[in-house]
Amino acid sequence: MSKQPKILITTAAFGDGHNTAARNLHAAFQRLGVDSEVRDFLVEGAPGVTRTLNQSYRWAITHMPRLWHRLYGYADKACLHGSWLNAFDLPERALASYLGRHRPDFILSTYPLYAYLLNSLYLGRLRRPFPVYNVITDSLTINHAWLRGGVDHSFVTDALTADIVRQDLPPHDVTVSGFPVDLGFERLFSQLTPPRPGYPLRVLYMATERPPKVAQTLRHILEYQSRSGMDVTVVLGRREKELRRLVESVAGRQSVEILGWTDRIPELMCTHHVLISKAGGATVHEARAAHCPLMINFVVPGQEEGNAELMLRENCGCRLENTQDIPRQLRAWFEHGAERWLALRDSLYRVGQPDAAMNIARRTLAMNGLSAPEISQFPEPPLEEKASSSKA
């Protein structure tokens, strides 16, 4: 009887991308019938400090992005070894306690700090008793903290990013897998046809900016709606209490569907022609998986610049210089039989990877000689083959 695998997935609540990736990897292992667990040892070891830092992080990227850019640049150059790690003593103890009680077959980390904590725990020993794999959640502009931890293998979002990462890591230790998006994208990926009479244009706006910018963005979306009769959906997420009254006031009598926190993101992206949002790692790659052209209206300096650049280089969307460009861009995308929109969608068909989470789960199990009920039915996916097509 074969051994039942046990997988640990580590994450951190600094930005939604890390938690999104971890949650979707866990779902992939569950689908395969494999036991996995998602843990955030920063929260477990130092809940108060982590909560304060997370709130400060979210405030900084929204209200003081230049300050965050400087801090991000410092982390890119910092040496995360030795005395520097003393600041993470409590999370390291929480991780050590877990490993003392559980013996995972391998660890998948969606946050770079864990490689350094594990190195500290096993300092002076011959080797860790399990491999550690990084799932890098950003594209093109990769913070060097991801690359100095000495993990066994790294999974990256796309072929262009792989070329950059392989400048610092052995090429055979880097696999192009895609970002692990929600498993629902495999089933729901967009088959939308261009807008036509009886089938209107549908625009999805994910409101993540400061309230004045949200109001400006929505006004310009509605400016185009008043001419075209398009459907508009606004997702407020965790900021519903802060933004709902503002959005309702701006919308007035115009028809707008307003949603708070929702688990319908795959469905929404796959049933809308355009997504307007910031360039978060999860959001950009969900748009790729849904084949939904993206208008980027906000970029967090440093960590998100590469995500925005990836969409431009792959011809999958545009970056708005200001909110006044929204009506002009929508008009350009959908005039002449939606010729421009069709070109963007064709590009997304070539690069979107809705099956990334399953690919990573199957690949890591195979790398460790582990089996799962589904493995025999699904041969190892040709990850590099898809990466080559996106690079061409």
Side-chain angles (χ1 to χ4, degrees):
M1 183 176 178
S2 61
K3 173 182 176 293
Q4 170 70 345
K6 170 69 176 180
I7 317 302
L8 172 62
I9 303 168
T10 54
T11 186
F14 295 100
D16 294 326
H18 309 294
N19 285 337
T20 297
R23 182 174 61 250
N24 295 333
L25 287 167
H26 174 61
F29 283 113
Q30 282 190 311
R31 179 180 288 185
L32 292 171
V34 173
D35 185 18
S36 69
E37 189 172 7
V38 177
R39 302 293 286 263
D40 182 342
F41 294 104
L42 278 77
V43 169
E44 294 180 31
V49 173
T50 300
R51 189 180 306 111
T52 300
L53 289 175
N54 188 30
Q55 290 170 348
S56 300
Y57 161 78
R58 293 187 181 279
W59 183 88
I61 64 173
T62 303
H63 299 279
M64 297 191 69
R66 291 184 181 179
L67 172 62
W68 171 249
H69 193 197
R70 293 177 63 182
L71 295 173
Y72 183 85
Y74 174 78
D76 186 54
K77 297 179 176 63
C79 180
L80 306 184
H81 294 283
S83 59
W84 195 94
L85 284 177
N86 291 340
F88 297 95
D89 181 59
L90 293 176
E92 183 177 316
R93 290 185 190 182
L95 175 59
S97 175
Y98 176 91
L99 294 175
R101 291 178 283 112
H102 305 277
R103 297 196 177 189
D105 289 280
F106 58 85
I107 295 177
L108 272 168
S109 179
T110 66
Y111 193 70
L113 177 65
Y114 290 104
Y116 301 90
L117 297 182
L118 288 163
N119 286 341
S120 176
L121 285 175
Y122 290 95
L123 185 65
R125 303 188 184 188
L126 289 177
R127 58 171 295 172
R128 292 187 305 263
F130 45 76
V132 178
Y133 309 128
N134 271 342
V135 179
I136 299 177
T137 53
D138 285 315
S139 304
L140 296 186
T141 51
I142 304 301
N143 193 295
H144 279 82
W146 284 107
L147 310 179
R148 300 181 182 129
V151 298
D152 297 275
H153 202 85
S154 294
F155 293 90
V156 298
T157 59
D158 60 277
L160 296 172
T161 299
D163 290 341
I164 294 170
V165 171
R166 285 169 177 153
Q167 295 175 17
D168 291 274
L169 299 179
H172 61 273
D173 287 344
V174 179
T175 294
V176 178
S177 60
F179 183 101
V181 297
D182 190 290
L183 303 188
F185 284 103
E186 290 184 84
R187 176 174 52 87
L188 292 169
F189 71 90
S190 176
Q191 298 288 343
L192 286 176
T193 57
R196 61 177 184 266
Y199 191 78
L201 168 63
R202 305 192 71 196
V203 172
L204 174 65
Y205 171 40
M206 300 180 70
T208 58
E209 318 93 273
R210 291 182 297 123
K213 181 74 175 292
V214 170
Q216 291 173 11
T217 300
L218 184 56
R219 285 191 186 100
H220 289 295
I221 293 172
L222 296 178
E223 176 187 335
Y224 189 80
Q225 183 195 46
S226 65
R227 305 178 210 158
S228 66
M230 69 184 184
D231 293 337
V232 177
T233 304
V234 180
V235 176
L236 306 179
R238 62 168 59 88
R239 298 178 64 197
E240 181 177 13
K241 289 184 179 179
E242 176 187 3
L243 295 175
R244 177 172 281 275
R245 184 173 296 180
L246 170 68
V247 169
E248 289 176 341
S249 175
V250 172
R253 295 185 178 182
Q254 288 184 252
S255 176
V256 177
E257 181 181 14
I258 304 172
L259 302 175
W261 184 262
T262 178
D263 58 2
R264 294 173 51 209
I265 294 301
E267 173 198 340
L268 291 170
M269 286 194 185
C270 292
T271 55
H272 286 71
H273 295 90
V274 178
L275 170 65
I276 300 176
S277 181
K278 79 183 191 77
T283 301
V284 164
H285 291 284
E286 286 168 346
R288 291 167 92 241
H291 308 145
C292 181
L294 172 62
M295 290 186 182
I296 296 168
N297 69 333
F298 179 68
V299 178
V300 175
Q303 69 196 65
E304 292 184 357
E305 290 172 353
N307 303 330
E309 179 65 18
L310 178 69
M311 292 294 284
L312 296 178
R313 291 172 65 173
E314 292 181 334
N315 189 37
C316 296
C318 70
R319 182 170 176 174
L320 299 167
E321 295 300 324
N322 56 67
T323 58
Q324 295 176 353
D325 288 340
I326 291 173
R328 179 179 61 81
Q329 286 288 354
L330 288 171
R331 188 165 53 252
W333 283 15
F334 291 98
E335 64 184 2
H336 306 303
E339 180 180 350
R340 177 61 181 149
W341 180 82
L342 287 168
L344 294 169
R345 190 185 62 172
D346 287 346
S347 296
L348 285 160
Y349 280 143
R350 290 193 292 272
V351 300
Q353 294 172 284
D355 52 356
M358 293 298 294
N359 285 345
I360 294 172
R362 295 188 188 113
R363 176 62 63 92
T364 50
L365 289 169
M367 289 166 68
N368 288 274
L370 299 171
S371 61
E374 298 283 317
I375 290 293
S376 61
Q377 300 177 37
F378 297 96
E380 187 159 330
L383 298 179
E384 298 296 348
E385 180 180 315
K386 188 161 194 177
S388 298
S389 66
S390 67
K391 183 179 176 181

